[in-house]
Structures are given as C-alpha cells and as structure tokens.
Amino acid sequence: DREPAAGTDAYGKGGPWLADGARLDDDVFFSAPRSLRLDCTGKFLYVPQYLRTKKLKPDTRYRISFFVKGRDLRPLLYRDGGACIELNDGGGRHWMRHPWPYLFGTFDWMGLRFELKTGKDAKKMAEHGFVCLRIINATRTAWFDDIRVEEIP
C-alpha cells in the first residue's frame, strides 16, 4: 500500500516511501519545486528517509536544518503532540526529536536546526541511519521542506 515517490530531488535519490496521508505538494513550498505534506487524521504519521546516499560517520558532529509550516495542528495530549523531525544515527545512540515541545497550531514557514554527535558504530550507521518527518499525537497538516543533514567541520 506504499508507493515510492518518483523523482523526489528534495529528499534524496530514490525519495522517501510515502505513507497514507503524505504527498509531495507542488503548490505549497518554501523552496521550489515542492514540499512534503503530511495530513494526519489519526494518532501519528511519519515518513522516514534512510541516509544511504549520505553515510553518517562515527563520532562526528552533524547539523540538521529544515523548514516547516503548520495548519491547525491539534495535540491529542496536552502539549505532547505536533510536528517534528527525528534523526536516528543507526548506531542506537541517538533518537532525537526536534523541536521540543513539538510544533502545533497554525504557523507560517519557519527555519529550524539542531546539532548532534553520532555514536561510534559506523557499520550500523551506514545501514540504518535515517531522518524521519512526523506528526505525533496530533491531527491536521504540516509541510516540510529544504531538509539538510550536514557535517560540522
């Protein structure tokens, strides 16, 4: 029931696997040609993108930056729901959700970034590291755009 998104230049070669409620949006975006739109009607919705084309290095600092926009995001639990991005280094050391508290309500495009240092297990990172865009414990709509994972020298 999942289809790969063809030609998704914004999210890496081969693109993400799109879950029900996720789609590429050519009408609402921060930087052309499109954004990824999540419409959540249940408890959560997520779209992972494995970092196989951009291998994470062990014991290295990285910055994740992205733009996000929300429309009527409603937490199901008091302030414990909304839009976020996660990075898992695959080595089991990091499973970080950003921002905290999660984003909710209606808001225009905002740029966010965070930094982390990866663990020491290079093999697991190369096989299992991923970025995950998600709405968790909330309903309604979020758009994500211009997502970057960059090594910090």
Side-chain angles (χ1 to χ4, degrees), residues 52-66:
R52 293 190 178 120
T53 59
K54 182 177 185 80
K55 307 264 190 235
L56 297 177
K57 298 176 187 173
D59 203 29
T60 303
R61 293 184 51 78
Y62 286 92
R63 177 180 303 115
I64 289 192
S65 59
F66 62 100

Side-chain angles (χ1 to χ4, degrees), residues 3-140:
E3 296 286 327
T8 56
D9 51 344
Y11 301 103
K13 187 176 181 181
W17 290 90
L18 294 182
D20 289 339
R23 68 180 177 90
L24 296 173
D25 192 330
D26 295 329
D27 298 320
V28 178
F29 50 82
F30 181 79
S31 59
R34 64 184 61 95
S35 67
L36 183 65
R37 177 179 172 159
L38 302 182
D39 290 305
C40 188
T41 58
K43 188 173 178 180
F44 63 88
L45 174 63
Y46 62 93
V47 178
Q49 173 64 56
Y50 286 93
L51 299 172
R52 293 190 178 120
T53 59
K54 182 177 185 80
K55 307 264 190 235
L56 297 177
K57 298 176 187 173
D59 203 29
T60 303
R61 293 184 51 78
Y62 286 92
R63 177 180 303 115
I64 289 192
S65 59
F66 62 100
F67 288 85
V68 61
K69 176 179 177 152
R71 184 174 65 207
D72 201 23
L73 283 165
R74 297 179 183 179
L76 300 175
L77 304 169
Y78 175 73
R79 292 192 61 153
D80 193 19
C84 67
I85 192 168
E86 298 179 14
L87 177 70
N88 187 318
D89 73 3
R93 181 172 174 191
H94 289 93
W95 181 273
M96 302 185 69
R97 294 181 181 158
H98 185 75
W100 177 256
Y102 304 131
L103 299 169
F104 59 91
T106 296
F107 50 92
D108 204 357
W109 288 107
M110 66 173 71
L112 298 170
R113 69 179 182 190
F114 69 100
E115 297 177 2
L116 65 93
K117 187 173 181 182
T118 56
K120 297 183 181 194
D121 194 335
K123 183 176 184 215
K124 285 184 180 177
M125 279 184 248
E127 294 173 2
H128 303 293
F130 65 89
V131 171
C132 188
L133 312 174
R134 65 186 299 155
I135 295 176
I136 185 167
N137 293 326
T139 59
R140 299 298 193 259

